[in-house]
Structures are given as C-alpha cells and as structure tokens.
Amino acid sequence: MLGMLIPPFQAQTHSSLDLGKTLDMDVFLNHSSFSSSSSFNAPSNCRSIQGQILEVTVVAGNRLTNTERFTKQDPYVYVEYGSTKKRTRTCKDGGVNPVFHDKFQFELIEGLHKLTVRVLNRNRFTAHQFIGSGTVYLDEVLAKGCQEYSCNLLREDNRSAGEITLILRYPNAQKTETECIPSPPRPPPFQPQPSFYQAPPPQYHPPPTYPCYERPPPPPQSAYPPPASSWPHFAPPGPFHGSYPPPPSPPPPYY
C-alpha cells in the first residue's frame, strides 16, 4: 500500500510539467496566428516598373576626348534604353566641355535597369567620329526617385574619354527625395594668380657730400715762338776737310 502512494514532490513535479507544456502550446499557437496575420496584412515593397516613366536629362560633358586638330568639335549624345534611342542637339563648337540640358522620357521595362550613353562628334563632310560610350545603372534612382549621375566614357581602346553628367528622375519611387539640383559646374583648372603684394620701393639715399676743392690755376703759358735768348746754344759744325765721296778702303790682307 505504501508502494502505491505517490510522494508529494513527484506529484508536484508532474503537475508543473503539464502546466509548462500547456503554456508552451498556447504561446506557439498565438505566435503562429500573429505571424500568419502579420504576413498576410503586410504591404509588399516590390512594385513593378513595367510601363513607368523615367526622365533623363543630359546636362553637359566634361573633359571629352578632342577629335579635332585645328577647330573645336561639335559633340552630341545618344541615350539608348532597350530598343528606344534618343539624340540630343549638336553643341556647335562645344569642344571638350559641351553643354546640352536636353530632357527625354523613357518607358521602363521590367528587369532592364541600365541604359547606354554614346557621344559622337558631328562632321559636315565626313563620317561622324566616335568619342566614347558608357553605361548608366538605374538601381539607385529607382529606389530614391532622383539622382545626379556622372557617366564615365570609354573609347574603343578602353581608355578614358571624359564623362557625361545626367539627372535621372523616377516619380513613382517608394522613397521620394527632394528635388534634384544640378551641382555647380566644375571650376576651371587652377591658374596661378598674380600676387597682390608689392615690395616697397627702394629707399633713396642721397649721394655722400665731398669737400669742394678749387681747381688750381693753370701755369702761365710762354709766348710762342720763345725768344731767341731762351733757345739752347749749339755750336755750328766745323768745316769739312776732305773729298767727297771718300776713297774706298783698302782690301783686307790675305793670310
């Protein structure tokens, strides 16, 4: 009869286990129902871009490769998205830093998140010259709604050909951003400015004063010609005794 009795501590342990299982089951059921309801009512952040409008403004070019030798080049830009191609106006004598400010609209295609930019130089009598091309990725503008994009251009030999500045706008983005303001144009290359500092003029020092000496008077000049008494006395030569010409001298003796 004593073996059939359950100790008090064992009965308490079984009851606490049953209560813990019941609480765990209730928490699981409540969490499952909350998760299912929250996932069902949560709005989806994925929106299709098919047919939406993307605005692209071609602002300007910077440090483009110069394809002309004696004159300034006339650049223009092609913007391609899918099978759609748009062309800017030709910037006459734009040189290496042309300015366009041409705006285009493209109808977005689902899954296509990039567009291509090609820059050419317009020639009047010959074929247009290729300057460079680059790729513009649209992931940031689709997320934020507005972006200023500097597209690096490459030549056919994969060397740098400058860059093109674009402004991209996507009005239907989830996160709207303040209006895009183009950045100010880049300053011209640094040129040394003339110094405003001027050295003080040299101080004037008067020449030193020297004592004044009077010039001595010239010696008295004698009359010319001098009087005969002042001439030196020379005796006149004596008379010449002999014949002229003199006789020849005798020959030397022979030894």
Side-chain angles (χ1 to χ4, degrees):
M1 184 172 179
L2 292 176
M4 296 179 61
L5 294 177
I6 300 176
F9 69 92
Q10 290 185 2
Q12 183 178 3
T13 303
H14 284 289
S15 61
S16 60
L17 291 176
D18 295 340
L19 180 60
K21 291 181 180 179
T22 304
L23 292 176
D24 292 341
M25 184 61 66
D26 292 340
V27 171
F28 174 75
L29 293 176
N30 292 334
H31 178 72
S32 301
S33 60
F34 175 77
S35 301
S36 60
S37 60
S38 60
S39 61
F40 178 79
N41 297 327
S44 176
N45 292 329
C46 298
R47 296 181 61 181
S48 174
I49 64 172
Q50 183 68 32
Q52 303 294 334
I53 299 299
L54 175 69
E55 295 181 1
V56 179
T57 302
V58 182
V59 180
N62 186 31
R63 301 191 304 272
L64 300 182
T65 299
N66 191 5
T67 58
E68 298 288 347
R69 292 185 178 180
F70 305 105
T71 60
K72 290 187 176 181
Q73 61 187 1
D74 304 327
Y76 63 92
V77 181
Y78 272 120
V79 183
E80 302 177 12
Y81 179 76
S83 59
T84 306
K85 181 186 296 186
K86 303 292 181 68
R87 181 187 185 278
T88 67
R89 61 181 178 84
T90 300
C91 184
K92 183 67 176 176
D93 293 334
V96 298
N97 298 310
V99 178
F100 301 101
H101 288 288
D102 291 341
K103 182 185 295 186
F104 308 107
Q105 290 186 348
F106 293 92
E107 188 173 341
L108 292 174
I109 302 172
E110 187 68 34
L112 184 58
H113 292 179
K114 65 180 180 179
L115 52 85
T116 304
V117 175
R118 297 174 60 243
V119 185
L120 294 92
N121 175 34
R122 181 182 181 275
N123 292 322
R124 185 173 181 182
F125 301 106
T126 59
H128 297 186
Q129 294 173 293
F130 175 77
I131 296 178
S133 63
T135 302
V136 178
Y137 296 95
L138 308 177
D139 297 322
E140 184 174 348
V141 66
L142 294 179
K144 296 182 178 180
C146 187
Q147 180 187 8
E148 181 180 354
Y149 198 103
S150 296
C151 178
N152 295 321
L153 303 177
L154 296 177
R155 296 189 292 184
E156 294 178 348
D157 55 357
N158 288 332
R159 298 177 64 181
S160 177
E163 63 182 19
I164 289 289
T165 301
L166 309 172
I167 292 181
L168 311 176
R169 287 187 176 90
Y170 178 54
N172 295 330
Q174 288 289 337
K175 297 180 181 180
T176 59
E177 199 175 74
T178 57
E179 187 71 12
C180 277
I181 300 176
S183 60
R186 288 181 172 83
F190 173 76
Q191 297 179 355
Q193 299 293 331
S195 176
F196 293 100
Y197 172 77
Q198 295 182 356
Q203 297 181 359
Y204 174 75
H205 299 281
T209 58
Y210 298 98
C212 182
Y213 295 98
E214 295 183 359
R215 184 176 181 180
Q221 297 182 358
S222 61
Y224 186 82
S229 59
S230 62
W231 291 1
H233 179 73
F234 295 98
F240 178 74
H241 301 281
S243 61
Y244 186 83
S249 61
Y254 294 96
Y255 296 99

